[in-house]
Amino acid sequence: MTKHSDLNSAAIAAHCATGAAHVCIEVVDETGSTNADLLARCATLAGPTLRIAGQQTAGRGRAGRPWVSQADASLMFSLAWHFKGPLHQLVGLPLAVGVALAETMSSLGVPVQLKWPNDLLKDGHKLAGILVETQQAPDGGVWAVIGCGINLLMPDALERQIGRSVSAVPWLAQMERNTLVAALLSRLAGVLAEFDDTGFAPFTERWNLLHAWQGQHVKILDNGQLLQQGVAAGVDHLGRLLLRTDGGLQEVMSGDVSLRLLGE
C-alpha cells in the first residue's frame, strides 16, 4: 500500500488541473492539526495553500470534537482559501465543499451521499468529515481554512476507539496518494472559485441530488437536546436544511446542531 511518506508536493502539483496551479502545496509527515497550522499563518499566506499530513495528533471536527485517525488509514488535509466577500457570504460553504468531495469520489468510482451539514456517507456510514474555520483578512475579505478527513481504511482497533460505525474505501487506499490528492484539490479549487463568485445557490440542486436522508424522518439535536423533528426535504439556496413538520416547512441553520435519523 502507498504510505503517507510517499506524499510529495511536486508530484501532487504535477497531477493537478490548471485551475489549481496557483495553490501552494505543503506536505508534512506529522503535525497537531493542519487547520490550526494554517489558521496561525493566514496573515502571512501569499495565496491558497494546501497542507497535508500523514498523521494529525490533535485533529478536530465540529464543535471541538476530536478527529481520531491512524497513519495511512486516513487522508487528512486542510486548504486555506481567500474569499473576497465578507463572512456572511460564506453561508453554505461546508455544503459546497461536500459537493466537491462527493463529485470527486464519484468520478473515481466511489458513489457517496451527503449528510447535512458537513459529512460524506458511504453505505449509510460516515466516510469523511469537513471542518471550515474562518479568519478576517486585512482587505475586508475572509480566509477560510477547510479541513477534510477521509477514511481510507478502518482497522478494528480504530473503529473501537471512535466508538461508532464508520465507512472506509479500502480499494481507494491502494490508489497512488499524490494522484488522489490532486483529484480532490483540482475539484475543490474549481468549486471554491465558483462559490466566491456566486455563493451557495448554484450548488443547491447538486447537493440535493446527493442528499442521503431525503424524505426520511430526522431530528435536530443541540447538545443532546431535541430541538426539532420532521421529514428531511433537502436544503435551500443558503444551505439551510428544510424540514417538513406539522407546523409547515421549517429552515434550520447549521451552527453546532446535530442531525440524526429519528430512530437513532
Side-chain angles (χ1 to χ4, degrees):
M1 181 177 69
T2 301
K3 300 296 183 182
H4 70 264
S5 57
D6 292 331
L7 286 166
N8 178 276
S9 57
I12 295 170
H15 289 96
C16 279
T18 304
H22 64 308
V23 179
C24 174
I25 300 170
E26 304 174 350
V27 176
V28 295
D29 275 343
E30 182 175 300
T31 191
S33 161
T34 52
N35 257 43
D37 291 349
L38 290 177
L39 279 169
R41 294 165 48 204
C42 281
T44 61
L45 292 177
T49 303
L50 178 83
R51 186 169 176 84
I52 183 167
Q55 173 70 346
Q56 293 193 52
T57 58
R60 60 186 189 274
R62 290 177 70 226
R65 291 183 287 269
W67 178 272
V68 181
S69 62
Q70 179 177 310
D72 299 318
S74 304
L75 192 62
M76 296 161 289
F77 61 88
S78 297
L79 176 60
W81 195 275
H82 180 272
F83 291 88
K84 57 180 178 283
L87 182 60
H88 70 83
Q89 291 185 6
L90 298 191
V91 172
L93 178 58
L95 284 76
V97 172
V99 169
L101 297 183
E103 290 178 346
T104 304
M105 291 292 188
S106 178
S107 72
L108 297 173
V110 183
V112 299
Q113 292 179 299
L114 295 173
K115 171 180 172 278
W116 183 88
N118 67 332
D119 288 342
L120 275 71
L121 304 184
K122 182 179 182 294
D123 302 326
H125 300 299
K126 183 170 179 174
L127 174 68
I130 299 160
L131 172 67
V132 176
E133 299 178 286
T134 59
Q135 189 173 113
Q136 191 69 40
D139 62 1
V142 176
W143 279 99
V145 177
I146 301 156
C148 302
I150 302 171
N151 301 321
L152 300 180
L153 297 171
M154 191 46 57
D156 291 342
L158 183 57
E159 186 157 4
R160 286 195 298 272
Q161 186 179 358
I162 293 172
R164 56 189 171 86
S165 295
V166 294
S167 188
V169 190
W171 73 263
L172 198 59
Q174 306 295 328
M175 183 177 177
E176 206 279 319
R177 293 284 174 97
N178 296 308
T179 305
L180 175 57
V181 174
L184 293 164
L185 176 57
S186 295
R187 181 70 64 123
L188 273 169
V191 163
L192 296 180
E194 182 181 354
F195 184 95
D196 200 15
D197 289 334
T198 67
F200 180 71
F203 296 94
T204 308
E205 183 177 357
R206 289 157 70 179
W207 197 97
N208 284 330
L209 287 172
L210 294 162
H211 186 195
W213 292 350
Q214 182 72 20
Q216 297 196 52
H217 290 270
V218 299
K219 56 187 177 182
I220 301 293
L221 303 176
D222 184 4
N223 291 319
Q225 299 299 310
L226 179 66
L227 293 183
Q228 288 175 292
Q229 65 183 45
V231 176
V235 298
D236 67 7
H237 68 288
L238 294 177
R240 298 177 297 189
L241 179 69
L242 300 176
L243 277 185
R244 298 193 187 282
T245 71
D246 292 341
L249 193 65
Q250 304 291 325
E251 301 94 4
V252 182
M253 291 296 291
S254 60
D256 289 331
V257 300
S258 299
L259 177 68
R260 299 285 186 271
L261 288 171
L262 193 56
E264 291 185 348

